[in-house]
Amino acid sequence: MKVIVIGTGIVGASAAYQLAKNNLDVIMIDKQQKGKATSAGAGIVCPWIKEVENETWYNLAKESFVFYQDLISALQKEGEDEVGYKKVGALCVSSDPGILDEIEKRAKTKRKGAPEIGDILRLNAEQAREVFPPLNQNMEALFVSGGARVDGALLRDALNRAAQRHGAEFVEGEAQLVHENRKVIGVKVGNKTVFADKVLITTGAWAPELLEPFGIHLNVKPQRGQIAHIKLPGKDSSDWPIIIPQSTHYLVPFDDGRIVAGATRETGSGFDYRLTAGGVNEVLTEALEVAPGLEDGTLEEVRIGFRPMGPDVLPILGTVDTLEGVLLATGLGPSGLTMGPYIGSLAASMIQDEEIKLDLTPCRPGRAIEIKKHV
């Protein structure tokens, strides 16, 4: 079977890797584009803490964590050392002990079905600053040892390299779907047409563009996120835990004193690729309130990414009813790096008609599609 994967972000790269490993003929297609979500994101892989009242989302996120362990091990066995993933634990922080009580109760309940959550420990303010020195002295914490962080760009690149080692081919350019009687038979890139049995679309917030010519309106919109990279000279932050405050913001430490502070959630931004005074101010204000010790850090860069936001918290995953030969994997929103590699592997399984244990019915693309006209 020959498969074309359009989009080589974290979802597409994972799918291409799984397909190529299974000896399928894989063509990966992508183009240079500002604002790709994987390039901008700093990933938190700690699904047990987030308060999302959606069982399907939680099951996907929980399985994503387990999948990460196997994926990273497989890549390292293939010689990929720069995978950007490390289990460092997570600190849920608050100045209100009552809030931490609720998080602790929720985490311990979830541990019954997810032992990979690891140790769950309460830390007073002094103990919390011992493991994350820049933290506000008024913040207490709940430490969850299973939490992990991932550098999306490093993992994406490792997956793309591994896919190509297994025989996948990469083509740079803008893809357009080629069809016969609403059956997609390949893509056109420039003046070249590439034929395939199946086409997987993993182009994130840009996915609707590929379907619009068929009168298919996909409800996926870009949400701008601005994310700051702060460097603490002379600090070894490689083992510092992720910081999860009681907001949509976060702090993710990486090696060599680099702390990633994010991120804005700018709904309605469109593809407006700009740093804004308000966005940067929001990110830095939130970061310094939680961790005043970052105040003297060097602001090295602020990245911009466009999250693909679907109609709800679930990814859009599956076939398109009115267009044969196409499968979608997009709409992950702020969960892109939490579950992107796993969603890519599920897409690969669907293409190969493999059995999937989870009920993915709620993720079907039909809920996010409006048919405008027939071509």
Side-chain angles (χ1 to χ4, degrees), residues 94-174:
S94 177
S95 57
D96 184 345
I99 290 176
L100 294 176
D101 289 342
E102 288 298 315
I103 298 172
E104 182 176 7
K105 181 180 177 182
R106 186 163 67 242
K108 286 183 174 177
T109 299
K110 288 182 175 177
R111 184 166 60 181
K112 296 171 186 175
E116 57 272 10
I117 194 171
D119 298 326
I120 300 170
L121 305 171
R122 283 294 284 268
L123 304 180
N124 61 32
E126 184 179 350
Q127 291 169 326
R129 289 202 310 279
E130 285 178 7
V131 293
F132 191 87
L135 194 64
N136 189 315
Q137 62 182 3
N138 296 321
M139 294 279 189
E140 297 181 15
L142 179 76
F143 178 71
V144 176
S145 67
R149 44 89 161 162
V150 61
D151 183 316
L154 284 179
L155 181 56
R156 173 204 62 202
D157 292 347
L159 285 165
N160 283 325
R161 284 193 301 267
Q164 291 177 70
R165 272 200 312 275
H166 286 282
E169 178 187 350
F170 176 74
V171 176
E172 185 173 340
E174 184 168 1

Side-chain angles (χ1 to χ4, degrees), residues 128-129 131-137 232 240 251 259 287-288 290-295:
R129 289 202 310 279
V131 293
F132 191 87
L135 194 64
N136 189 315
Q137 62 182 3
L232 298 175
W240 289 5
L251 297 170
I259 312 295
L288 294 177
V290 173
L294 298 177
E295 187 173 12

Side-chain angles (χ1 to χ4, degrees), residues 28-354:
M28 301 185 296
I29 300 174
D30 210 342
K31 63 178 180 178
Q32 295 292 327
Q33 199 142 35
K34 290 182 177 180
K36 292 182 179 181
T38 299
S39 299
I44 296 173
V45 191
C46 187
W48 323 281
I49 302 303
K50 194 170 182 179
E51 193 172 4
V52 177
E53 297 299 325
N54 185 298
E55 186 178 357
T56 300
W57 183 93
Y58 176 67
N59 287 334
L60 281 169
K62 185 176 69 168
E63 291 301 317
S64 295
F65 181 88
V66 175
F67 177 77
Y68 256 112
Q69 316 313 305
D70 295 335
L71 177 66
I72 298 304
S73 176
L75 288 171
Q76 289 175 337
K77 286 178 181 175
E78 293 187 23
E80 291 291 346
D81 296 324
E82 293 292 325
V83 293
Y85 179 90
K86 189 173 184 180
K87 194 183 293 186
V88 291
L91 276 188
C92 301
V93 300
S94 177
S95 57
D96 184 345
I99 290 176
L100 294 176
D101 289 342
E102 288 298 315
I103 298 172
E104 182 176 7
K105 181 180 177 182
R106 186 163 67 242
K108 286 183 174 177
T109 299
K110 288 182 175 177
R111 184 166 60 181
K112 296 171 186 175
E116 57 272 10
I117 194 171
D119 298 326
I120 300 170
L121 305 171
R122 283 294 284 268
L123 304 180
N124 61 32
E126 184 179 350
Q127 291 169 326
R129 289 202 310 279
E130 285 178 7
V131 293
F132 191 87
L135 194 64
N136 189 315
Q137 62 182 3
N138 296 321
M139 294 279 189
E140 297 181 15
L142 179 76
F143 178 71
V144 176
S145 67
R149 44 89 161 162
V150 61
D151 183 316
L154 284 179
L155 181 56
R156 173 204 62 202
D157 292 347
L159 285 165
N160 283 325
R161 284 193 301 267
Q164 291 177 70
R165 272 200 312 275
H166 286 282
E169 178 187 350
F170 176 74
V171 176
E172 185 173 340
E174 184 168 1
Q176 296 176 307
L177 300 178
V178 176
H179 75 107
E180 288 182 354
N181 301 319
R182 294 189 74 83
K183 178 181 180 180
V184 171
I185 57 173
V187 302
K188 186 176 181 182
V189 184
N191 58 6
K192 181 181 179 183
T193 299
V194 183
F195 296 98
D197 301 292
K198 296 285 177 82
V199 175
L200 172 61
I201 297 174
T202 66
T203 49
W206 291 271
E209 296 176 3
L210 288 160
L211 299 176
E212 284 292 346
F214 298 89
I216 298 171
H217 175 67
L218 179 64
N219 183 10
V220 171
K221 296 180 173 64
Q223 182 195 69
R224 183 170 60 196
Q226 300 181 56
I227 184 168
H229 289 238
I230 301 167
K231 184 73 176 288
L232 298 175
K235 299 291 185 183
D236 179 7
S237 56
S238 57
D239 292 323
W240 289 5
I242 305 150
I243 302 298
I244 306 176
Q246 299 313 296
S247 70
T248 58
H249 291 261
Y250 51 80
L251 297 170
V252 184
F254 287 91
D255 299 345
D256 302 323
R258 180 167 61 102
I259 312 295
V260 177
T264 61
R265 297 192 179 191
E266 300 171 68
T267 301
S269 65
F271 291 103
D272 184 4
Y273 188 82
R274 288 186 305 123
L275 292 180
T276 65
V280 175
N281 177 66
E282 177 188 328
V283 169
L284 294 180
T285 298
E286 289 275 353
L288 294 177
E289 183 177 331
V290 173
L294 298 177
E295 187 173 12
D296 195 42
T298 303
L299 180 59
E300 291 205 319
E301 64 173 319
V302 182
R303 297 181 186 177
I304 301 168
F306 296 110
R307 302 181 188 91
M309 304 298 292
D312 50 44
V313 298
L314 295 176
I316 296 166
L317 178 62
T319 56
V320 179
D321 292 339
T322 58
L323 193 62
E324 191 178 347
V326 164
L327 193 131
L328 286 174
T330 184
L332 276 70
S335 303
L337 292 178
T338 297
M339 60 175 69
Y342 184 53
I343 295 300
S345 76
L346 289 175
S349 293
M350 288 179 169
I351 286 169
Q352 298 170 93
D353 294 321
E354 295 175 348

